[in-house]
Amino acid sequence: MPLHIGGRGMIEGDALRRQWPGSYVEAGFADDSADLRIGPGDVRLHILVDGRPAATLVKPKPGLYRLTGLGRGAHRLRVEVASESQAGATVLGGVYARHPLPVRPRARRIEFIGDSHTVGYGNTADGQTCTPDQVWDTTDTSQGIAGQLGRRYDADYRVNAISGRGVVRNYNGFAADPLPVAYRYTLFDHDHVADDRGWRPQLYVVALGTNDFSTPLHQGEVWADRAALHRDYETRYAAFLRDLHAANPRAHIFVWATDKADGEIAAEAGKVVEQLRAEGVADIGFATLKGLSFGGCNSHPTVADDRRIADAVAGYVDAHPTLWNR
């Protein structure tokens, strides 16, 4: 049965191998039941039928899962990944029914690029310090800004975000690809360069810088001081946004930042946006998000905070309604 796929991934037969958060697959059918195949990899999945929650599967074993009692008539099945998958890719298999129906892509498309704030890291927790297992259990990208805005605008979306990653510096200086490097690949293993030629969002929502600036520099890092880090960040972030614009010049770009780190994150991100505006990029917006509770896991935004962020993005979108016509 043909699948409608949200998010980057690799098609392997009738299955999707994916690693970026917020992935989903959808299928249509006209039957009272359907079968869903799930492949290997730890994942938490929300199953929705006709837009209504039907089940949540937590680290399901590979195999075939049957949904029954759906009623007569046409149905739309959605399987969405709630958890983050930095440790490795997971596999969503095919959907099988006797009478498949086509699922049309949505007319509106949004791409979200960022770090843990975009992933929805620990956003369903209740103001606590969390272990890695608790973070995994309480992360729900579908309740984060991507899921909220996707539902608000009935938009297809991609979430290209990784917790802990920055533009040039990751959280506390740990070694791994910063987001602009990881962004180039379909999975996190560098084996396949991402092919986004069939994906043209009308809107990019980008938030990067929290991990670059939320911790002090340590001896042995490549930046001699904070000023050097600022210069490197501004250069690389501007280049990344410039590349997005060059690849899809009709799209709008909305950049946001929190007021954490004594305003350093927002100040630096704002400089980058002003630089692009000075270069002639007109369709770019910026907002500083203030007053968030950060009551999720390890001082991260909650679902309610995600709603405030989504509202700020919606304010930009609603002020530019013709962006969907592009």
Side-chain angles (χ1 to χ4, degrees), residues 8-294:
R8 283 177 173 165
M10 298 177 58
I11 301 298
E12 299 177 341
D14 60 359
L16 172 70
R17 182 177 297 275
R18 44 69 55 193
Q19 193 168 13
W20 291 96
S23 310
Y24 58 89
V25 298
E26 295 178 311
F29 53 90
D31 295 289
D32 183 60
S33 64
D35 294 330
L36 165 67
R37 185 175 299 281
I38 297 174
D42 286 347
V43 68
R44 190 168 71 259
L45 301 173
H46 293 320
I47 314 297
L48 298 95
V49 178
D50 302 329
R52 295 185 295 273
T56 294
L57 304 179
V58 180
K59 297 184 180 180
K61 294 180 180 180
L64 202 62
Y65 292 75
R66 172 158 291 182
L67 293 91
T68 61
L70 304 180
R72 300 179 63 181
H75 299 291
R76 184 169 180 143
L77 172 68
R78 179 182 176 101
V79 183
E80 56 187 26
V81 177
S83 50
E84 192 169 11
S85 303
Q86 285 199 45
T90 72
V91 177
L92 300 178
V95 176
Y96 310 97
R98 289 177 298 169
H99 302 100
L101 297 173
V103 175
R104 294 182 179 178
R106 296 168 177 83
R108 295 172 173 179
R109 298 170 300 278
I110 310 173
E111 181 169 326
F112 299 86
I113 302 172
D115 50 35
S116 56
H117 293 177
T118 297
V119 171
Y121 172 112
N123 59 348
T124 67
D126 186 16
Q128 61 191 55
T129 299
C130 296
T131 66
D133 285 345
Q134 289 171 327
V135 171
W136 193 90
D137 288 339
T138 59
T139 294
D140 192 339
T141 306
S142 73
Q143 294 192 58
I145 62 172
Q148 292 189 31
L149 285 164
R151 290 186 291 274
R152 182 182 300 208
Y153 291 109
D154 189 27
D156 279 320
Y157 59 83
R158 289 188 175 186
V159 183
N160 293 324
I162 310 176
S163 294
R165 309 300 176 90
V167 173
V168 294
R169 181 176 185 259
N170 298 325
Y171 180 77
N172 210 27
F174 81 84
D177 287 342
L179 197 286
V181 175
Y183 183 84
R184 303 169 188 164
Y185 300 100
T186 304
L187 305 176
F188 300 171
D189 56 11
H190 292 196
D191 284 350
H192 300 277
V193 174
D195 183 355
D196 291 337
R197 285 175 295 179
W199 170 248
R200 283 293 179 269
Q202 294 108 331
L203 175 66
Y204 294 96
V205 179
V206 191
L208 288 166
T210 297
N211 295 303
D212 297 86
F213 303 120
S214 59
T215 57
L217 289 168
H218 305 297
Q219 187 174 4
E221 293 195 65
V222 299
W223 303 278
D225 53 27
R226 213 70 176 176
L229 175 59
H230 287 176
R231 289 191 296 271
D232 199 9
Y233 169 89
E234 292 165 20
T235 299
R236 185 67 190 92
Y237 201 6
F240 180 68
L241 296 178
R242 199 179 292 120
D243 288 346
L244 290 179
H245 176 68
N248 190 10
R250 292 174 61 83
H252 280 244
I253 300 173
F254 183 80
V255 177
W256 64 273
T258 71
D259 59 353
K260 294 190 78 173
D262 297 322
E264 184 179 17
I265 303 163
E268 286 298 301
K271 288 180 185 177
V272 172
V273 171
E274 287 304 317
Q275 180 178 335
L276 265 73
R277 285 174 175 160
E279 294 172 5
V281 179
D283 294 330
I284 187 167
F286 177 73
T288 301
L289 272 296
K290 300 179 179 180
L292 301 179
S293 74
F294 297 106

